[in-house]
Amino acid sequence: MPTTVLIADDQAMVRAGFAALLGAADDITVLGDAEDGQVAVDQVRRLKPDVVLMDVRMPRRDGLWAAEQIISSGSATRVLMLTTFDIDDYVYAALRIGASGFLLKDAPADELVRAVRVVAAGDALLAPSVTRRLIEQVTSRTTRKATAAADSLTPRELEVLLTVADGKSNGEIAAELFVSEQTVKTHVSNMLAKLGLRDRAQAVVFAYENGLK
């Protein structure tokens, strides 16, 4: 089955452009679009897409509000935030809410398509520049102190957490630790479950908030 997508952006030309780019991929179907956060929430409830591309800045209700409504409702739809502005507070807020990724609008077309596939598969995605700024933001506002939750991890799970925090893919982690990708996936799943985290994006936040990196 193709991955289904909803596009939420206040600019009609941007919505049309993203729809054309994603529609050209054989494994992606664009179900519809929304011009503001409230419409996006309503459309997600009605259409139940796999992924919603959510612009941060929109009138009436912005993307952060919409993302929180969608995620807190228990919806299976995963949220990929999009913005023109590489601003720390937006990144931090979106990931704390539970967004599965954060991508700048000026990213190449192939990166947008890949991001949708990655997020739909249950993984998380952060643009490299966003990751660097997130790290700076989180470490500047938090105390570098590991919590009891991290102590519940096995040495291997902690090792996997630290490599995830470095932004490495399952394949890269497998090569570094000399194990299979399936083994890495198992460790990642166990690590997220023990820490009560939704996905890898929140694992990055957790690692830096708690002084593990």
Side-chain angles (χ1 to χ4, degrees):
M1 296 292 291
T3 296
T4 55
V5 178
L6 176 76
I7 301 169
D9 193 287
D10 61 331
Q11 298 182 43
M13 290 184 65
V14 171
R15 297 197 302 272
F18 284 157
L21 290 173
L22 295 173
D26 294 337
D27 58 339
I28 297 175
T29 298
V30 177
L31 297 181
D33 58 28
E35 65 271 20
D36 64 49
Q38 183 62 65
V39 176
V41 171
D42 295 341
Q43 290 281 62
V44 166
R45 288 172 180 160
R46 184 173 67 87
L47 300 174
K48 296 179 173 57
D50 297 315
V51 178
V52 55
L53 296 182
M54 186 76 74
D55 187 22
V56 170
R57 290 187 170 183
M58 292 185 289
R60 193 156 68 124
R61 294 290 193 177
D62 66 20
L64 294 179
W65 177 87
E68 185 168 21
Q69 297 303 305
I70 292 167
I71 294 166
S72 65
S73 73
S75 170
T77 297
R78 303 183 74 82
V79 180
L80 176 59
M81 305 299 296
L82 290 166
T83 186
T84 305
F85 307 96
D86 187 359
I87 300 176
D88 299 329
D89 283 341
Y90 288 156
V91 179
Y92 190 77
L95 296 180
R96 290 302 301 269
I97 287 169
S100 295
F102 202 105
L103 194 65
L104 302 182
K105 284 185 177 179
D106 60 1
D110 59 337
E111 284 191 22
L112 175 64
V113 173
R114 184 177 73 86
V116 169
R117 290 170 177 156
V118 167
V119 169
D123 210 336
L125 181 140
L126 293 171
S129 63
V130 170
T131 302
R132 287 193 297 272
R133 293 170 68 87
L134 170 68
I135 290 167
E136 293 171 0
Q137 181 75 0
V138 171
T139 55
S140 70
R141 69 169 71 183
T142 58
T143 302
R144 301 177 66 81
K145 180 181 179 182
T147 65
D151 294 337
S152 69
L153 301 179
T154 66
R156 178 62 86 180
E157 288 166 353
L158 178 59
E159 195 171 14
V160 168
L161 170 61
L162 298 180
T163 54
V164 167
D166 287 333
K168 294 180 180 178
S169 67
N170 285 345
E172 291 169 333
I173 296 173
E176 181 174 324
L177 301 183
F178 302 102
V179 297
S180 69
E181 283 195 47
Q182 184 56 52
T183 297
V184 172
K185 289 179 181 179
T186 299
H187 286 316
V188 170
S189 295
N190 291 341
M191 175 266 292
L192 294 176
K194 286 183 178 181
L195 298 180
L197 303 175
R198 175 184 171 92
D199 55 28
R200 296 164 78 107
Q202 290 194 327
V204 174
V205 174
F206 178 90
Y208 282 93
E209 277 188 334
N210 291 287
L212 300 175
K213 292 295 293 182

